[in-house]
Structures are given as structure tokens and as C-alpha cells.
Amino acid sequence: MTSATSRSDTNAGSTPDTASSGHSGPRPKPAPPAGTPVRVTGAQSLVRALEAVGVEVVFGIPGGTILPAYDPLLDSTKVRHVLVRHEQGAGHAATGYAQATGKVGVCMATSGPGATNLVTPLADAHMDSVPLVAVTGQQSRALIGTDAFQEADICGITMPITKHNFLVTDPADIPRAIAEAFHLASTGRPGPVLVDIPKDVLQETTSFAWPPDMNLPGYRPTLRPHGKQVREAARLIRDSRRPVLYVGGGVLKAKASEHLRELAELTGIPVVTTLMARGAFPDSHPQHLGMPGMHGSVAAVAAMQRADLLLALGARFDDRVTGRLDSFAPDATVVHADIDPAEISKNRKADVPIVGDCAEIITELIAAVKAEVADTDEPDLSAWWTQLDSWRGTFPAGYEWPSDGTLSPQYVIERIGDIAGPDAVYAAGVGQHQMWAAQFIKYEKPATWINSGGLGTMGFAVPAAMGAQFGRPGTPVWAIDGDGCFQMTNQELATCAIEGAPIKVAVINNGNLGMVRQWQNLFYSERYSNTDLGTHKHRIPDFALLAEALGCAGLRCETKDGVDDVVRRAMEINDRPVVIDFVVGKDAQVWPMVAAGTGNDEIMAARGIRPLFDDDEVAP
């Protein structure tokens, strides 16, 4: 890379040079060669470094301590700044951008409350392994530790929820800190990195040269797996009769979807994709059993429970997938492949641990499986598939229409998916609508499903969809939101309207905190304590009018016959964001369900209906 120079620096100090030019008049000096230091402020150094690492968009809000950085940012022709309405929106937008593009998302905030408002997005990105860099201002060095105005120890606060963080105390270190931050965020197991820079460091004069020398002793992510472990996994595949490919978000992070498909088709093994891995394997593929876990498909949950071999690829055996660990997949030998060695055997003991990048692992596993079966018959999985197809046929995905004639939320989401299609990007909030979006929209391609999986952050959908829209401006982006989630961050629609991000927002308005109400219905004797939001009873707020006030098109739909028309109208509006208030029934529930604290054998296909997984049904 070459060092970035501003227009003012290019001509700085130029003098007349008539001897070599053959004519009079000043002649600009040529740009310095790569690596040659130039004198700049710390703030200019920061902006140049962001340009040099390829940043396209920064989501943020200026304030006192970060203000020096905003001055040279105004002159940048490479970095676009998007002025959000809340720092939480900046963080989630950076996450949506990163998830939709595979690039590092960037957000910026001032010190104190600006920085602490990024804590939730940083924790969210940490849980879901999202490459993110947050740049925060800090009080001047002499004031650190004095409880100065808008001072907060953001490095200390975020230490448990970032992959790494930096407090830059010397302006000369800014290029290196930025280079290291982006390297850390995007390599190994991706994650958020915070760079905290005091105001006086941004104001000091320093030198800028690019690229800097990075100094990250001990940071050497393992990409290539150990050959012996891969061969052992291949041997287990050859010998298994009830294998399952348990696919997590690490496959998407490694851009290994095509590799996964090749492995699945080579071996004939069924595939389950977690909430964070939707789109890693096509829903339409006959080997796909769906999503496992608390609200996964019966076939996916049952397959994992009765498997004799689990091949976990970029997954972490989290509690929403396993249910009670002591009863999870009791007969399965476990091959656990992940780029983060800390995940191996953390929750479930791995019989064959493989550390490495999923793309590398799957590539080598394909070769090893081919070698294993070269001189033998391929494993006969016909009895296993007979059982799997029986479960799929007995417990298909579905829903019942509300008995009171209200609109079905599942139908709404299903139709959005059918009309917008598999090329659109879908971002969801958290709760019932998130699960229905995971269940009833068909995901065929990577990077088309964005949600808050590990942290479960309400208010995620609108800003994440905004970030995704900036990352993929020509792609339809839908936010599937609930009326509870939507009221947390809908102010970012003003950002979308002003900055030109024409996202579509489907508010699944059931008048309640739906998932909490479902738990109250099932486990608290229908005592609905503080879950009625009033959006049905009082229409406060009126979401269509609120949308218009925020510069969007506001639509409403309350009947089945109106769903297709209103979705198509939304698809035709591309000069501003669109919000559709889908007024749906309040009593719809998410099925199947494994209640918290129970085992996956206790999955309920619907209220009072428990699938029976007979050992006699399973192939020996």
C-alpha cells in the first residue's frame, strides 16, 4: 500500500524550479514514496490509516473528545461517514455491514456515554464473531483517571467483550494501532476490537507512514489443520451409519459454503445449520434438515440426538442447540473443528479435535474421505435416511391460522421471503419474529441472513439492516422486526431516509413482547405481567404515521388478502425506506420448542405434542 496524502500536503513547501522545467512558475513536489513519513496531526493520521486499510463507511456521532478526528474526516474522499442517531445504532450498523459484506465494520464515538453506548453492540459482535473496529475518543492524557467530564475507562469496560483493545497514548502509534486492530478483527476467529485515543493525542503533530510494522507477539491463528486428526475424522465418516454435519457460523466466516456442499454431496451426510449459519447450506438441498436447537426443526433435533457421529464445523455447542448437555447426542462420537482452540471441548468433549480455518479443514477432509473410500464401499446410509425422511414427513414445518381470524405472523414472514426472494438480505430483531424468520424464509445463499444470535439483542434489526444496505446498495434489504424491538432503535430510520438507505421494515405487530408472553403462557399460568405494549389497544405509536414522520413510506396491513400487495408496493419504493405495520394475532407461538433446562428428547412439536423418538426407529 502507498501512504495517503491530502491535497494540502501534496503542494506543501513547493518552490519555483525553472532550471529543470524550461518555464517559470511553481512546480509541485511529487508525492513521497511509500513508507516516507509526512507530518500530520494525530487526527489526520487516524483518517489516513482508515483510508489505507480500505474503510468505506464509518457509522458514528461526533462529540468533544473525538471531534479532532471529524475535521480531517470531512476532507476524506475515500471514507464516508454516516451520522447515526444513537451510538448503539452505529455499532449494530457496523455489524450489519460486516455480516453482509464480509469486511470489517467500523463505528466511531466520543468518550464517556458515547463509548459506553457501544458496549451492547460490542458484546453482540463478540458473541457472534463479527469483525468490528470501534474508534473512541478519550479524555486528554493528563485527565485520565481524574473522573474528568465524559471520562470512562472504556478499555477496562470492554475488555471481556472485545477480542483486543488499545489505549493509544503516543500519536506516532496511531497507524500501527489501526493496522493491528483491523488485522485482529478480521483474522483467526473474527471479533470486535476497540481503539481508544485521547483528545490531545489526536491534536498533537506526528508523522505518518504506511504500512506500519505490526507487533503482535503470540498472535498466530492456526489455519491449516493437523493431518492426522483430519484422517481420523475421515475414518469415522467411513465407519459411521448415523452421521450428521452440524454447521455453525464459522463456515460462513471462512467463506466455506461451497466446500461444505461438496463434502455433504460426497458423503451423503445430512446437514443441520444453526441460527448463525442459515444460508451456509441451501434450504432447498435434499440433504438439509433445517435448523437445530430450541426452536429448530424436529428432524434436525432428532437427527443430532440419535446420531452416532457429529461433525461440528465452526459451531460451539451452545445451550440453545444442545439443551441439557448431559442428555445431548448421547451416542455420538464428536469431531469438533473450529478456528478457536478455546471452543474445542468447552461444552462437549471432542473425541477428535481439529483446530483450523473451516475452508482449509473441509478441503482436506474431502481429500481424506476420498482416500478412505477409494478401496472400500461407501458407507450405506439408506436406513438412516429412511428414518430422517420419516421424521421430516411426520413433523414438517408449519403453523395454524389464529382461531380469531387475525393475521398469521408466520404467513406474513413466509410471503415476504417468497416475494423478496433468496437474493435479498434479511435482518431480524430478537424474539418470536426472529425465530419465524429463521424458520419460514428460505435461505439459499451466504450473507443473506443477519441476526443477533448469541447475545439476543432487541433493537438489532433496523440499524443492522441499515448497515447491510450501505454494504450492498443494490440489494433489497428487509428488517423483520417486532413491535417491541422496533421501538428501541427505530430512530435510525431518520438516518436511512437522509443518507439514502431504502431498507424495508416489516413490523410484526402483535401488541406484546411476544416471546416473553409465550413463556408466560406456557410456564407462568398465563399471568401476562408487563408484556402488553399497547400497540394494539391504543395504537401507540401508530407505526405508519411514525414512519412518515421519520421520512419513510408508512403502510399497514391487517388481512391475509392484503399481504402480497403491500409487500410488492414496498418492493417498488426505492427512493426512501418503507415501514409496513403488520397487525397480527397476539397468541401465535413458536413451535417446535425445547424448553430451557430440558433435554432435546423433550422437544414439543406443538403445545402438548411431544415427538416420540423410539430407539427401535433408529438404524443400528
Side-chain angles (χ1 to χ4, degrees), residues 8 59 93 95 102 132 345 370 382 410 416 451 453 491 601 611 616:
S8 60
F59 302 93
T95 290
L132 201 70
S345 296
K370 289 178 178 178
S382 57
Q410 298 99 320
I416 290 171
N451 82 125
Q491 69 273 9
D601 282 329
D616 293 340

Side-chain angles (χ1 to χ4, degrees), residues 204-264:
E204 271 190 18
T205 301
T206 183
S207 61
F208 176 85
W210 194 270
D213 293 326
M214 291 193 292
N215 181 26
L216 295 169
Y219 181 70
R220 298 182 187 87
T222 300
L223 301 181
R224 295 290 301 275
H226 193 288
K228 182 178 180 181
Q229 293 163 325
V230 172
R231 290 191 295 273
E232 178 62 14
R235 185 190 65 80
L236 290 171
I237 290 173
R238 182 198 65 193
D239 295 340
S240 67
R241 292 299 175 265
R242 302 190 306 277
V244 172
L245 281 164
Y246 162 33
V247 176
V251 170
L252 288 174
K253 298 294 187 297
K255 297 179 172 58
S257 294
E258 289 301 320
H259 305 75
L260 170 65
R261 182 166 184 159
E262 183 179 353
L263 175 65

